[in-house]
Amino acid sequence: MKIEAIDLYAISQPLIRTFVTSFGPQRERDCLLVAIHSEGLTGWGECVATNDPGYSYETAKTAWHILSDFLIPAILGEDLQEAEQLADWFRFVRGHPLAKAALDQAAWDLTAQRDGVSFAQKLASPYAEGPRSRVKVGVSIGIQPTMDETLYLIQEHVEKGYGRIKLKIKPGHDIELARTVRAAFPELVFMLDANSAYTLNDVAVLRAMDEYDLLMLEQPLGYDDIFEHSKLRPQITTPLCLDESIKSADQARFAVEIEACDIINIKPTRVSGWTEARLVHDIGREAGIGLWVGGMLETGVGRAAQLALASLPGFTLPGDISATERYYDPDITAPFVLNSEDSTIDVPTGPGLGVEIDMARLAGVMSRRTSFT
Ligand code: OSB
Ligand code: MG
């Protein structure tokens, strides 16, 4: 398929609720969308780089620069057979996984449409099991101004049917939170995400978490670290999960080899896309690592592709793929809704991503658009 044209959009949508993590608040969600055109088909991808460089060094603005000046010119006019080719085409750009992942997602969507299969079917084709039809999900709740609001939000989401709750922590907002939540909800399946806010000097705090029967503790130490996580792991009984520091299949291999984690949160965007995410899945599955699909406050475009990844057989834990109405109302696609009876979301079955973009809504939230031909 000759890559005939690519559109790049910058959009900005208000979040229904400000999302606060240890690296700060997000009120407006800026992100980019890419559309690859070929043979009358259009493949869509979302770039989830955030407004600020708190989660990673990439921002929506650096991603615009890398996409428009390097990645898009490198693939325009090329003959795309399979999305796996992109890794070679992009090798000349160091880093910038979130920018690369947008085009990777669009290439998977486009080639799945060409093949007349869903993104999930195409991604799951190497596995005898095939894709799951619905995937287990949980919800990620940002840091709230008061403990009462935290408890209220947990209650609200449990009532909606979410079977797993993730809470954000930061120094000074940790042990008391875990203690209070466990006391209020003795049976709750919950976990904590520190987004790299601690150091090995805080082992006493992290060890105190062992009391509260957490599903896991996510990325307590450095955002690029696996070495110190491997030092921490034998000192706590809570299962240790890595997010930020696994940016490639190689880093997943290294983490497994030095026993730095029990669990990996695979965000396809953080590892440059779905091809690499599937490799991380295979490495983790082979090593008996717990796996789940992480989120970055995606719109319906990104959610559809997260669901496709989560349909692979090695995912053992609920993903951060909550219903889109939690973040955007209306969204730029039809909403994804929770199956409240089993805390799942259905994997789209239509060709490619299986979602339709509301172009009028997109025009309403768009701040910038460039077409490359
Ligand atoms: O660390 O998992 C994270 C959102 C933005 C940046 C980092 C993270 C998150 C989330 C939200 O936890 C997950 C979601 O519901 O999309
Ligand atoms: Mg995280």
Side-chain angles (χ1 to χ4, degrees), residues 117-312:
V117 297
S118 71
F119 195 146
Q121 281 171 317
K122 189 163 175 65
L123 203 62
S125 61
Y127 310 94
E129 298 92 329
R132 297 183 176 123
S133 57
R134 39 169 63 189
V135 303
K136 287 268 182 203
V137 303
V139 76
S140 175
I141 296 177
I143 295 171
Q144 303 304 314
T146 66
M147 200 71 83
D148 279 351
E149 274 167 89
T150 307
L151 294 177
Y152 170 80
L153 276 176
I154 294 171
Q155 181 66 32
E156 186 181 82
H157 286 102
V158 167
E159 281 169 11
K160 282 191 172 154
Y162 285 104
R164 186 227 69 180
I165 304 283
K166 162 165 140 181
L167 301 171
K168 296 287 186 176
I169 55 167
K170 63 179 181 183
H173 177 80
D174 40 39
I175 300 175
E176 184 60 13
L177 176 79
R179 195 190 60 74
T180 309
V181 170
R182 180 50 79 212
F185 301 95
E187 305 295 323
L188 185 72
V189 177
F190 83 104
M191 57 182 281
L192 302 175
D193 184 1
N195 288 110
S196 299
Y198 297 84
T199 71
L200 276 182
N201 294 330
D202 302 310
V203 166
V205 174
L206 303 174
R207 199 187 281 141
M209 302 293 188
D210 287 346
E211 293 268 320
Y212 305 110
D213 191 24
L214 303 178
L215 182 62
M216 72 189 84
L217 175 62
E218 184 177 345
Q219 196 77 32
L221 308 180
Y223 66 86
D224 254 347
D225 170 78
I226 59 171
F227 179 71
E228 291 197 326
H229 282 96
S230 79
K231 299 277 176 205
L232 170 65
R233 186 169 162 269
Q235 301 185 62
I236 59 176
T237 59
T238 303
L240 188 55
C241 172
L242 290 177
D243 171 359
E244 281 90 331
S245 45
I246 305 298
K247 294 188 187 71
S248 64
D250 277 346
Q251 288 170 353
R253 263 193 314 112
F254 305 155
V256 166
E257 192 168 325
I258 69 169
E259 300 183 0
C261 61
D262 303 285
I263 298 169
I264 298 176
N265 158 354
I266 306 183
K267 288 182 184 169
T269 53
R270 193 195 59 223
V271 298
S272 303
W274 277 253
T275 305
E276 191 82 0
R278 193 170 61 183
L279 287 173
V280 176
H281 161 274
D282 294 346
I283 290 162
R285 190 181 186 208
E286 168 85 23
I289 296 284
L291 297 174
W292 55 283
V293 174
M296 292 286 289
L297 315 177
E298 283 84 352
T299 72
V301 176
R303 292 273 150 185
Q306 278 177 289
L307 288 162
L309 180 65
S311 78
L312 300 188

Side-chain angles (χ1 to χ4, degrees), residues 56-73:
S56 89
Y57 60 81
E58 292 183 84
T59 67
K61 284 186 182 147
T62 69
W64 183 281
H65 163 54
I66 295 296
L67 279 160
S68 57
D69 293 340
F70 301 102
L71 300 175
I72 291 174

